Amino acid sequence: MNFEQYQNYLIDTASSLLSIDSASGFTTNVTDYLLKTVEELGYPAYRNNIGNVIVTVEGEDDTEPVALSAHVDTLGLMVRSITSDGMLMITSVGSPLLPSLDGEYCNIHTRDGKVYTGTILSLSPAIHVFPDASTRDRDEQNMAVRIDEIVHSKEDVEALGIHAGDFVCYDSKTTFTKSGFLKSRFIDDKACSALELTLLKIMKDNVIKPKHKTYICFSTHEEIGYGGATLPKDIKELLVIDMGCVGLDLTCTEEQVSICAKDSSGPFDYEITTRLVNLAKKYNLDAVTDIYPRYTSDALALWRAGYDTRAALIGPGVQASHGMERTHIKGLMNTLELCAAYLELI
């Protein structure tokens, strides 16, 4: 199968997903996009009560269902309070690398559907004014959002309809370079969600089925710990498609697919992980096996919810995770092919 012909679809789909604000707890717009896209591809899908999108693909054998899961929720912020001079104090959604947000543009989404733009700044933002401009901590107590509206007081801000609990979604800054790099926030995990949509298109275009009945899942609360807790109950195996870690003593690069043998919750299923290692060798994929000591995924949420499901995890190598992330088209394509091999599409 010629996977390279799907690179442009993958890139376009990733760009579309990355353009949609979807911090955990604020994912309706991105799941609307998923349902529309999947419907156009001709697959049955539904959004469950908590917001996950589940696509059902009939297999050659429907007795042992498997699932792939990536997440479309992202890191983000919420308005914690409004200062007397009209700045928005923030609280984190998930675990964004806050120092990397100093100076980033953002959208403020109100409960009545209005969207305002702003900038996330240190509370000592000017070198000509504040003696601690370069040294002040960049954290929730020392950063705020400056709204692009004429406001001088808390009352001015509230008159716009902005209140505590409104979501603040910052710019993804998505760029594909001529050298093949995807630079963007939220590659974790919208790039892998784009891979799942690409797999669906490959199966449609080539009129092929996976060996087993397969659920293609898009979870919406992974960044806050429970995205995998409400996946279909009959899953026998779960392959989580999430970012691969790059750095320290890890082997993976951005051009590779990483097979995670163990994360902070413990080892993944030995048999599935070994199968993935052997599939990568069989199809000459650029793959490595690594350990992620500061990492959890939808698999942990699934196990904590009481599922009797074996699980493994793979993903493209992503540098600078939860900050200004980067991966490469080679890493994405290696991951795509390993997913296809796992489903026995090749």
Side-chain angles (χ1 to χ4, degrees), residues 46-81:
Y46 65 94
R47 180 165 40 203
N48 70 8
N49 192 49
I50 203 169
N52 295 341
V53 171
I54 311 297
V55 184
T56 304
V57 182
E58 297 303 323
E60 301 294 342
D61 174 7
D62 289 346
T63 60
E64 298 286 328
V66 303
L68 271 59
S69 184
H71 66 92
V72 287
D73 64 309
T74 71
L75 307 168
L77 306 168
M78 295 178 81
V79 178
R80 186 178 81 243
S81 61

Side-chain angles (χ1 to χ4, degrees), residues 117-139:
T117 62
T119 306
I120 304 164
L121 292 169
S122 164
L123 289 175
S124 295
I127 198 72
H128 297 96
V129 178
F130 300 97
D132 63 345
S134 62
T135 59
R136 187 167 182 168
D137 289 341
R138 268 59 176 175
D139 58 26

Side-chain angles (χ1 to χ4, degrees), residues 18-19 57 64 84 144 155 178 188 192 198 217 221 345-346:
L18 287 161
S19 72
V57 182
E64 298 286 328
S84 59
E155 291 73 23
K178 292 181 179 179
D188 171 21
C192 295
T198 305
C217 306
H221 296 85
L345 301 176
I346 55 177

Side-chain angles (χ1 to χ4, degrees), residues 242-259:
D242 209 330
M243 53 151 279
C245 296
V246 173
L248 288 180
D249 58 349
L250 303 179
T251 306
C252 189
T253 69
E254 295 154 274
E255 300 91 64
Q256 295 174 305
V257 54
S258 178
I259 301 169

Side-chain angles (χ1 to χ4, degrees), residues 306-327:
Y307 281 64
D308 182 19
T309 301
R310 300 186 300 156
L313 187 147
I314 65 172
V318 174
Q319 208 269 344
S321 58
H322 283 205
M324 198 59 244
E325 298 171 345
R326 193 181 76 165
T327 190

Side-chain angles (χ1 to χ4, degrees), residues 124-305:
S124 295
I127 198 72
H128 297 96
V129 178
F130 300 97
D132 63 345
S134 62
T135 59
R136 187 167 182 168
D137 289 341
R138 268 59 176 175
D139 58 26
E140 291 181 4
Q141 306 308 314
N142 292 284
M143 298 176 75
V145 174
R146 180 186 66 195
I147 312 166
D148 297 329
E149 301 291 331
I150 299 175
V151 293
H152 300 288
S153 67
K154 178 179 180 179
E155 291 73 23
D156 289 343
V157 174
E158 290 177 337
L160 297 173
I162 298 173
H163 301 283
D166 288 341
F167 277 89
V168 177
C169 299
Y170 45 90
D171 191 352
S172 67
K173 299 174 72 173
T174 302
T175 302
F176 278 93
T177 73
K178 292 181 179 179
S179 54
F181 286 102
L182 166 58
K183 302 193 300 182
S184 182
R185 296 190 184 275
F186 317 131
I187 292 172
D188 171 21
D189 191 32
K190 286 187 173 178
C192 295
S193 296
L195 288 176
E196 290 194 328
L197 290 174
T198 305
L199 276 173
L200 289 170
K201 181 166 177 58
I202 288 171
M203 288 188 280
K204 176 193 176 184
D205 289 353
N206 294 276
V207 196
I208 50 176
K209 291 183 178 181
K211 179 177 180 181
H212 299 283
K213 178 181 179 179
T214 300
Y215 298 108
I216 304 294
C217 306
F218 302 87
S219 70
T220 53
H221 296 85
E222 193 276 347
E223 292 292 1
I224 52 176
Y226 56 95
T230 59
L231 299 182
K233 292 293 186 181
D234 59 340
I235 298 171
K236 301 302 181 184
E237 288 186 4
L238 172 67
L239 180 60
V240 178
I241 318 298
D242 209 330
M243 53 151 279
C245 296
V246 173
L248 288 180
D249 58 349
L250 303 179
T251 306
C252 189
T253 69
E254 295 154 274
E255 300 91 64
Q256 295 174 305
V257 54
S258 178
I259 301 169
C260 181
K262 173 184 177 292
D263 68 4
S264 62
S265 64
F268 285 97
D269 183 80
Y270 188 86
E271 189 279 326
I272 304 175
T273 301
T274 302
R275 193 193 323 157
L276 291 164
V277 170
N278 290 334
L279 285 170
K281 292 177 181 177
K282 178 179 179 179
Y283 293 103
N284 297 312
L285 303 179
D286 193 356
V288 296
T289 303
D290 264 326
I291 305 294
Y292 306 163
R294 298 173 57 84
Y295 188 113
T296 61
S297 74
D298 277 336
L300 180 60
L302 177 132
W303 289 326
R304 283 180 170 168

